Structure formats: structure tokens, C-alpha cells
Amino acid sequence: TFSVTFSPKKAGEFKDKLVIRSNASDNPTFEISLTGVGYGNSIDDITLSTKSVSLNIGETTTVNVTSGSGSYAVSDYDKKVVDVSVKGKVITINALSAGNTSIKVTDTNTKKTAQVAVKVAYPDIALSTKEMSLNVGETKQIEVTSGSGSYSVSDYDKSVIGVSVKGK
């Protein structure tokens, strides 16, 4: 009785045959057909299109897997900061709240991993106008068109103008 261990050395589909010869005087030989998919020792580490992304709350981006075996999973990220999904070679990242996290991407066949650092920030504040003229006794409103949702005002001459904030 003897055993043979077969380990594919490179990635991809393979088709080969293994010939086993006996040292006996009659020299019998046996042939074994080998077919399958190899995830052998020569596979490079999984690589991604980028190692870091910066987003504002509410934005979505994608990161592509540029090398690996073809089957991937994501884990080890802060679910309060981002929502992450993977479909094929595309990782979709949705920014939920401000913060920093890292996403672990695993090649499920080779068990090799890569990381994507993610920074999520509040969007810059944008206003409906940057200038306004007022007459004494007149009231006007400025709308916040993008930002975090919580606002305050400061640095104005309270003896000249009154300001209040309500919602946006």
C-alpha cells in the first residue's frame, strides 16, 4: 500500500495525468487522470483597486478585487460606520456615520486577506446663499442644503442682527 499526495502549484483549471511505475521486475504502470481547479502556492495575495477610501455620510463607493481566486467575503468592520456588500469582484461601501474603520476582504478559496481603510466624515456645509441684504425689521431665511443635520451660528454682531436656527 502507498499513497500519493497531489498539490497544484498554480491557480486555475488543470488537466493532467499521473503515471505510477512499479520497481518490480514486470514493471506495471498505473495512470491516474487529474482534473480540477488549483489554488496552489504560487497565487499572489489578494489585491484591491485601492487600500483606502474617504467618504461623506450618505455616499457610496466601490472597491474592485484585482487579483484573487474569484470568491470573496468581507468582515471585521464597524457596522455603525459603514454597510458593506460584495458581489463578484466588486465591494460596495455605503457610509452611514462619521468615523474610521477597516474592512477585511478574504479570498474564501485561498484564505488570503487584504484590508481597505475607510474614513467617513460629515459632508461640508453648503448654504442656499452666501450673501444677503436686509432692511431694518425685515426677516429672511437661509437654507442649509448639505451638512450633518445639526447646526448652530456664531461670530456675528448681536447688536446689529438677530439670528436663530430652526432645523435647516
Side-chain angles (χ1 to χ4, degrees), residues 4 20-21 23 28 34 38 47-48 62 72 79 93 109 117 146 159:
V4 175
I20 302 170
R21 291 184 183 15
N23 289 332
L34 305 169
T47 56
L48 307 173
T62 58
Y72 311 100
K79 291 173 177 58
I93 304 167
N109 292 315
S146 98
S159 68

Side-chain angles (χ1 to χ4, degrees), residues 57-58 122-129 132 140-153 163-168:
I57 296 171
Y122 288 108
D124 291 335
I125 294 176
L127 305 174
S128 59
T129 185
M132 178 179 293
K140 289 188 179 178
Q141 292 183 343
I142 298 173
E143 183 180 351
V144 178
T145 57
S146 98
S148 70
S150 178
Y151 310 100
S152 64
V153 292
V163 178
S164 64
V165 177
K166 184 176 182 182
K168 290 182 154 194

Side-chain angles (χ1 to χ4, degrees), residues 10-11 22 24 28 31 38 46-47 55 69 72-73 91 93 97 102 105 107 128 131-132 140 146 148 157 160:
K10 65 180 184 177
S22 170
E31 284 189 17
I46 179 176
T47 56
L55 300 165
S69 75
Y72 311 100
I91 299 156
I93 304 167
S97 66
S102 183
V105 182
D107 184 318
S128 59
E131 285 186 34
M132 178 179 293
K140 289 188 179 178
S146 98
S148 70
D157 188 343
V160 175

Side-chain angles (χ1 to χ4, degrees), residues 84-95:
V84 183
S85 63
V86 62
K87 186 172 183 178
K89 293 183 175 188
V90 179
I91 299 156
T92 302
I93 304 167
N94 298 309

Side-chain angles (χ1 to χ4, degrees), residues 12-166:
E13 293 183 17
F14 63 87
K15 187 170 189 172
D16 206 348
K17 68 179 177 179
L18 178 65
V19 178
I20 302 170
R21 291 184 183 15
S22 170
N23 289 332
S25 61
D26 59 352
N27 247 356
T29 60
F30 301 92
E31 284 189 17
I32 301 171
S33 294
L34 305 169
T35 58
V37 177
Y39 304 106
N41 298 332
S42 70
I43 288 183
D44 291 332
D45 288 336
I46 179 176
T47 56
L48 307 173
S49 59
T50 186
K51 292 184 180 191
S52 65
V53 294
S54 294
L55 300 165
N56 288 325
I57 296 171
E59 289 183 330
T60 299
T61 193
T62 58
V63 174
N64 296 309
V65 179
T66 56
S67 74
S69 75
S71 180
Y72 311 100
V74 291
S75 62
D76 298 341
Y77 57 90
D78 189 337
K79 291 173 177 58
K80 293 177 184 174
V81 175
V82 292
D83 178 48
V84 183
S85 63
V86 62
K87 186 172 183 178
K89 293 183 175 188
V90 179
I91 299 156
T92 302
I93 304 167
N94 298 309
L96 303 176
S97 66
N100 297 315
T101 190
S102 183
I103 301 167
K104 180 179 178 182
V105 182
T106 303
D107 184 318
T108 58
N109 292 315
T110 66
K111 306 302 182 217
K112 295 188 178 193
T113 63
Q115 298 282 330
V116 178
V118 181
K119 179 179 181 178
V120 178
Y122 288 108
D124 291 335
I125 294 176
L127 305 174
S128 59
T129 185
K130 292 184 180 183
E131 285 186 34
M132 178 179 293
S133 296
L134 291 169
N135 294 317
V136 175
E138 188 177 9
T139 301
K140 289 188 179 178
Q141 292 183 343
I142 298 173
E143 183 180 351
V144 178
T145 57
S146 98
S148 70
S150 178
Y151 310 100
S152 64
V153 292
S154 61
D155 298 333
Y156 64 95
D157 188 343
K158 293 174 180 70
S159 68
V160 175
I161 191 166
V163 178
S164 64
V165 177
K166 184 176 182 182

